[in-house]
Structure formats: C-alpha cells, structure tokens
Amino acid sequence: MNSTAYLADHAGDEILRRGRAIRILLADWPGGLDRLRRMLTAMPGVEIIGAMHSGADARKAVGAMRPDLLIVNVDMPDGSGFDVASAARDVEIVFVARSRDWAADAFSCNAADYLLEPVAFDRLCAAVERARYNRLASQGLAADRSNADGGHRREGLWVKTVGGAVFVPIGTITRIEAQGEYVLLHTEQRTHMARLKMYDLEMRVDPHGLVRVHRSSFVQLTQIAAFKRDGNRIVEVELRCGTRLSVSARYSRLLRERLARTARL
C-alpha cells in the first residue's frame, strides 16, 4: 500500500527573504503567459513588468525594462528562447520547456532554474526565490551562509564555465542529477553543469549527506521534506523545493538506513 510521510521541516515553512519586489519579465506563448501570470500574482514580493509572446519584442524589452528576472520559454513562437536570453545582461534567467532536452544548454547559460511544462506552482515559487536570493547576493544584501555547514563548504568541485571555472562547495549541493555525459549540481542559488561520472562522485559526496537514491540522482538528506512508501520500501522522495525524485529498489534500503540514523524515519 502506498503512503506518504511528511517531515516536520516542509518547504511550506520557508520564509520569503526581505527586499523590494523582484521585477519579472515574461516571454512565452499566450497560454503559457496566462498561466505564469496567474501563479506569479499569487506570490508576495513579485512585480510583473512585461509579458511578451514574441521573441523579438522580448529581446527589446529585456534591454529597455532591465528586469531582475526573465522567465522565458525555450521554444518561442518566432524563435528560440536562448536568443532572448542572449540579450539579457545582469539578469537572472529561468527557462521553461516541454522536456529536459535543453536543460544542459540552459544551465550552460548560467540559468537560475529550468522548469518543465506544465509549470507547477511550488516549482515556480522555488525558482523565483532562487533568483531573488541571487539578486540580493550580487548586491551584497543576502544573508551570509558561508559558515552554515562548517567545514563541508571547504570541500567542493571545480566546474568549467564559459569564462573560466567556478568552485562549488559540496555542502551547498542539494541534489545531483545525471544528464547524459554530464551531471547537474543543484544548489539553492544555481545549477551547475559538470562533466563528471556519478560513480566517481559517490565517495566524495556521501560524507556530506548526499545519498544516492537512483542511478541518476543523489539527494541531500536535509532537503527531504516527504517520502512515499510501498510497503517497507521508499519509492519516492519530495524535496523542500517541491521536486519529486524516484527511489530505485537498489538504493531504497540505504536511504531508509540513513534516514533512520538521523532520526528522520
């Protein structure tokens, strides 16, 4: 019998960070714009400054309106969302897409997040808050989390970028996702793409609470908000950001043992 257990520190208890409203420009198909607008207007601290269903108009608006955040569909009616994103300077970008096919390209553009259609409200909330935090951090207004995980933040992975390389402390990684020959290192602020093997990562990240739950994913134990059982086996976990991940039979026992060890099961 399937059952779902929720842990005490569910994502719903997350408090919005203080600061002025985040100014958002939308670029999507008409139906997508309507859905995004409805969800965003239900969020506090959000100002929609424009909504474009033309990629050409969106490119012009990015420069003229100078938004904090651009939410753009990868497949615009008159071209690519990446063309729109290329016009953005000092702007957080969240891509929306029908499938995961463009995820690697999106994160190589240093995207704050990548959302699959139909966009879920909790995932959109998490993406906006990630972008908000990035903006505050870039202005020196975000809370200093550098010592939050003690020594864990000093061990990390170097990830190549277009401009050089960036150091990603392992203690900041919330989950890791395999993407072809690459992996996506998800943190609360950004997702980084690196050419690494899941097997090679296992020994490095396990001491930091990142547990393998599937051949294609690791998850930080402290990020698990809920889990679903089928009998004694955990078959799915839900993270604080709202993301749900399947747990394979091979790794279910290990996950149960780790959760029990931390008194979370």
Side-chain angles (χ1 to χ4, degrees):
M1 179 180 178
N2 288 336
S3 61
T4 302
Y6 283 87
L7 305 178
D9 50 356
H10 192 266
D13 296 330
E14 184 75 14
I15 299 174
L16 290 172
R17 296 181 177 88
R18 294 181 179 180
R20 68 169 175 78
I22 186 168
R23 302 170 68 252
I24 302 176
L25 176 67
L26 305 176
D28 203 338
W29 293 73
L33 288 176
D34 290 342
R35 180 176 175 82
L36 289 172
R37 265 193 296 242
R38 284 197 302 271
M39 291 190 287
L40 288 168
T41 52
M43 299 179 196
V46 165
E47 178 187 358
I48 301 172
I49 62 171
M52 311 292 172
H53 55 77
S54 159
D57 289 343
R59 281 178 59 89
K60 295 175 184 176
V62 168
M65 296 182 172
R66 301 183 62 83
D68 298 314
L69 169 61
L70 168 67
I71 301 179
V72 58
N73 198 304
V74 167
D75 183 24
M76 291 294 292
D78 57 347
S80 167
F82 291 108
D83 290 337
V84 179
S86 68
R89 296 291 182 271
D90 192 29
V91 176
E92 294 297 317
I93 302 171
V94 170
F95 287 100
V96 176
R98 297 189 309 270
S99 71
R100 297 179 182 274
D101 293 348
W102 299 281
D105 293 327
F107 290 122
S108 70
C109 296
N110 211 23
D113 213 335
Y114 185 87
L115 305 177
L116 293 177
E117 295 176 311
V119 177
F121 181 76
D122 53 356
R123 284 289 291 115
L124 183 60
C125 284
V128 170
E129 285 313 300
R130 177 182 286 193
R132 188 196 306 275
Y133 181 88
N134 291 346
R135 295 296 292 179
L136 292 174
S138 68
Q139 298 163 14
L141 300 176
D144 181 8
R145 298 184 174 189
S146 60
N147 296 317
D149 294 322
H152 287 185
R153 297 222 165 199
R154 298 181 182 180
E155 296 183 41
L157 305 165
W158 282 101
V159 177
K160 290 183 179 179
T161 64
V162 174
V166 63
F167 182 74
V168 183
I170 294 176
T172 68
I173 299 173
T174 57
R175 66 185 176 97
I176 300 174
E177 174 188 357
Q179 188 79 31
E181 296 181 352
Y182 296 85
V183 297
L184 301 180
L185 308 174
H186 297 275
T187 72
E188 289 185 5
Q189 290 76 49
R190 291 205 177 277
T191 296
H192 305 274
M193 184 175 64
R195 191 158 191 162
L196 297 167
K197 296 182 183 298
M198 297 291 278
Y199 175 80
D200 295 334
L201 282 171
E202 197 155 6
M203 294 296 290
R204 294 193 64 182
V205 303
D206 184 80
H208 300 275
L210 281 155
V211 178
R212 197 162 188 176
V213 296
H214 194 275
R215 64 190 299 270
S216 62
S217 55
F218 292 88
V219 64
Q220 170 57 249
L221 289 172
T222 58
Q223 292 295 314
I224 297 176
F227 54 85
K228 182 183 291 184
R229 290 178 180 272
D230 183 1
N232 289 326
R233 187 167 83 82
I234 297 175
V235 296
E236 183 182 84
V237 293
E238 180 182 342
L239 308 188
R240 295 177 184 225
C241 64
T243 299
R244 289 182 171 85
L245 299 174
S246 297
V247 179
S248 67
R250 177 179 179 182
Y251 297 105
S252 178
R253 180 178 176 183
L254 172 62
L255 179 60
R256 284 194 296 110
E257 291 174 353
R258 292 294 293 274
L259 287 171
R261 207 179 305 166
T262 57
R264 305 189 80 207
L265 185 62

